[in-house]
């Protein structure tokens, strides 16, 4: 059964203090590589206005800041204030001269005018929103015509061997690691969220329905990860 938005918000507030450390350890640092790939796919350029939806502690927003430089600007949006507080601190430390804004808001009702942004990212957010078509419609609305967004997330691989490996990894590595921090329940949600998450071709269909005529899904690591790259015409 899907969980309510308020529960998701509470969960990400609760895990904020350990979120970055666990991500780093559990992906062996690889999440940074996938995030860099996603930012590359947005084709972010110096001077542009960029958006990171479901920014969490700010990894993708900070990579966007690097790409758009001091002449550009980045907005990181999330509905979990505890995550935003960490993002803000990291932004101040790493990119003091950049135009970075951290905004508490809902991915399903973005607080921006139509056609505001030159590029956008969403990392591990689409799997967590309670209404995927609405999140895609909102992303489409706030992008300028001719611009791109890259949506990175975990997937349930179709290959049975890789699927078994993923189940083993989640049960044997991820949940016990979270358990040691008293967060077993919080990390146990990952498997059901993966089971529910649409596969690549279905994501492409959802993106087209949301208005992105051009949508391509790139599987990564045998389908364990994927990036949906969408272009607004
Ligand atoms: C798994 S974290 C990903 C954080 C970050 N993008 C990263 O890649 O590390 C998912 C984030 O989505 C946020 N989120 C989920 N639903 C949201 C919504 N409807 N509006 C805004 N943020 C949302 C959560 O608060 C959480 O910080």
């Amino acid at each position: 059964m899907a969980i309510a938005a308020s529960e998701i918000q509470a969960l990400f507030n609760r895990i904020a203090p350990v979120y970055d450390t666990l991500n780093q350890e559990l992906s062996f640092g690889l999440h940074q590589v996938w995030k860099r790939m996603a930012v590359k796919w947005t084709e972010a350029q110096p001077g542009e206005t960029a958006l990171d939806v479901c920014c969490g502690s700010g990894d993708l927003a900070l990579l966007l800041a690097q790409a758009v430089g001091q002449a550009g600007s980045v907005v990181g949006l999330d509905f979990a204030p505890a995550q935003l507080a960490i993002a803000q601190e990291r932004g101040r430390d790493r990119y003091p001269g950049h135009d970075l804004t951290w905004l508490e808001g809902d991915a399903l009702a973005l607080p921006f005018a139509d056609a505001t942004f030159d590029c956008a990212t969403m990392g591990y957010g689409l799997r967590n929103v309670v209404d995927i078509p609405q999140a895609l419609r909102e992303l489409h609305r706030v992008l300028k015509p001719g611009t791109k967004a890259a949506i990175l997330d975990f997937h349930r691989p179709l290959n049975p061997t890789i699927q078994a490996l993923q189940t083993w990894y989640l049960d044997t590595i991820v949940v016990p690691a979270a358990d040691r921090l008293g967060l077993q329940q919080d990390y146990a949600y990952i498997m059901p969220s993966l089971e529910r998450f649409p596969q690549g071709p279905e994501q492409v269909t959802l993106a087209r329905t949301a208005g992105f005529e051009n949508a391509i899904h790139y599987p990564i690591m045998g389908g364990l990860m994927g990036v949906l790259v969408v272009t607004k015409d």
Side-chain angles (χ1 to χ4, degrees), residues 2-12 79 106 108 128-130:
I3 51 177
S6 57
E7 283 178 59
I8 297 169
Q9 191 177 24
L11 185 155
F12 282 105
F79 69 5
D106 189 354
L108 306 182
N128 286 299
V129 298
V130 295

Side-chain angles (χ1 to χ4, degrees), residues 133-149:
Q134 175 63 11
L136 291 171
R137 279 194 294 272
E138 277 297 86
L139 200 53
H140 181 269
R141 182 181 67 74
V142 301
L143 281 169
K144 293 179 188 169
T147 65
K148 286 184 194 298

Side-chain angles (χ1 to χ4, degrees), residues 19-144:
Y19 180 77
D20 285 325
T21 313
L22 266 184
N23 256 0
Q24 190 66 14
E25 283 176 11
L26 296 174
S27 75
F28 310 103
L30 281 172
H31 72 115
Q32 286 295 345
V33 177
W34 304 321
K35 285 171 177 167
R36 278 179 197 283
M37 287 167 72
V39 168
K40 249 195 154 40
W41 263 312
T42 68
E43 297 176 12
Q45 300 297 321
E48 288 189 341
T49 304
L51 170 67
D52 181 25
V53 185
C54 297
C55 67
S57 57
D59 272 356
L60 277 159
L62 296 180
L63 290 171
L64 283 170
Q66 213 174 51
V68 303
Q70 293 202 3
S73 60
V74 179
V75 178
L77 175 135
D78 201 286
F79 69 5
Q83 296 277 352
L84 287 171
I86 294 170
Q88 185 156 31
E89 202 178 306
R90 295 172 78 206
R92 249 194 323 252
D93 286 353
R94 293 195 202 168
Y95 294 99
H98 285 64
D99 182 355
L100 280 169
T101 305
W102 305 104
L103 208 60
E104 192 176 330
D106 189 354
L108 306 182
L110 292 173
F112 311 112
D114 297 358
T116 300
F117 295 97
D118 298 302
C119 55
T121 51
M122 190 190 261
Y124 307 102
L126 197 64
R127 186 172 35 88
N128 286 299
V129 298
V130 295
D131 186 343
I132 291 176
Q134 175 63 11
L136 291 171
R137 279 194 294 272
E138 277 297 86
L139 200 53
H140 181 269
R141 182 181 67 74
V142 301
L143 281 169
K144 293 179 188 169

